[in-house]
Amino acid sequence: MRPRITYANVMATIAVFFAFRGASYAAFKLPKNSVGTKQIKNNAVNGSKVANGSLVEQDFAADQLPQGPQGLPGPKGDPGTKGDPGTKGDTGLQGPGGSEAWHEIGPATSKCFESKSNGNFCDLNAVGTCMWSNYGGGSSTAPYYRDPTGVVHLKGLVKLAAGCSDPASSREIFYLPVGYRLAAGAIFEVASANAAATVFVKDPNSDSEGFSSVRWQAGGDPKVWISLNNITFRCEPSGVDGCP
């Protein structure tokens, strides 16, 4: 018996044809941007599905990438703003005083024992024939001073009056004031008229009134000149009368 094609058979066949064609189109012709995270299964995309070099740092989680080598130092930054002044420090200890001026020895105007306290040269006979004075002639005078450490310094050239008939009894040149004296006497080698001489700085204990004299001891020619240069000694007692 020959099959009979009806209208219903034809329409059903056409419907099936279009149904399969639509499914094929949906599978192989998806619209652009129509697939998102919801359409992708977990772990469906692996490394073999990602093109090499296509990912950037932002595509990885923190600490997921290995640390690279240390870079070169950057340029120096601008200076920061000036900070506030610090608190004032404590007051420091008082430093030593500065050096004082040289004390010049005055001309002889009285007998030597009267010159013990007036700071003048000695005049042994009070008539001007046996008095001491600066050498003069443009040479240094004979002053003294005490430095901040308590060392007393003498300098200059002195001479005894040419008319003095007894130089041996006219040894006292001048007296040092308190605060500029030795605790014990000392002898210093000096020059005198191109010869060797000695000057004795007496301690106050050897003087009945407690004074300390600078005196020619021996050698040279005091009537020509005696040098007091480089005579230095420590004042005594420390802490008394300005002696440090």
Side-chain angles (χ1 to χ4, degrees):
M1 183 176 177
R2 188 175 183 178
R4 185 180 178 185
I5 299 175
T6 66
Y7 175 78
N9 296 132
V10 174
M11 294 305 295
T13 301
I14 293 173
V16 172
F17 172 78
F18 278 107
F20 277 105
R21 185 178 181 185
S24 176
Y25 179 79
F28 301 103
K29 298 292 184 179
L30 294 176
K32 185 178 181 180
N33 298 326
S34 63
V35 178
T37 56
K38 292 182 178 180
Q39 285 73 34
I40 300 177
K41 294 171 61 177
N42 291 337
N43 299 321
V45 178
N46 53 37
S48 64
K49 303 298 183 181
V50 180
N52 292 335
S54 63
L55 299 179
V56 294
E57 183 180 355
Q58 289 77 3
D59 296 323
F60 297 88
D63 299 328
Q64 195 172 11
L65 293 175
Q67 185 177 0
Q70 183 176 356
L72 298 175
K76 185 177 180 181
D78 296 331
T81 56
K82 185 177 181 180
D84 297 331
T87 57
K88 184 178 180 180
D90 298 333
T91 303
L93 299 176
Q94 182 176 356
S99 297
E100 63 186 23
W102 288 92
H103 302 281
E104 295 288 343
I105 303 170
T109 57
S110 58
K111 291 183 179 181
C112 190
F113 69 88
E114 295 175 351
S115 299
K116 292 182 178 181
S117 59
N118 63 15
N120 293 342
F121 283 110
C122 284
D123 184 353
L124 273 297
N125 58 13
V127 295
T129 58
C130 279
M131 65 180 183
W132 288 88
S133 65
N134 289 312
Y135 176 75
S139 62
S140 173
T141 57
Y144 60 91
Y145 91 99
R146 184 183 59 213
D147 68 25
T149 64
V151 175
V152 179
H153 303 257
L154 308 183
K155 71 173 183 176
L157 300 182
V158 296
K159 65 179 180 179
L160 183 63
C164 185
S165 59
D166 187 12
S169 62
S170 306
R171 300 181 187 275
E172 314 309 301
I173 303 173
F174 68 94
Y175 284 83
L176 290 165
V178 293
Y180 296 81
R181 300 171 180 173
L182 285 164
I187 296 177
F188 299 89
E189 293 184 359
V190 297
S192 172
N194 298 321
T198 54
V199 168
F200 181 42
V201 179
K202 296 177 64 177
D203 64 278
N205 297 325
S206 63
D207 185 87
S208 59
E209 298 180 33
F211 287 91
S212 177
S213 66
V214 177
R215 67 196 305 263
W216 165 63
Q217 185 72 7
D221 188 349
K223 292 184 180 181
V224 180
W225 57 264
I226 292 178
S227 172
L228 303 182
N229 291 325
N230 302 320
I231 295 179
T232 61
F233 52 87
R234 180 71 169 80
C235 65
E236 296 290 346
S238 180
V240 178
D241 297 318
C243 179

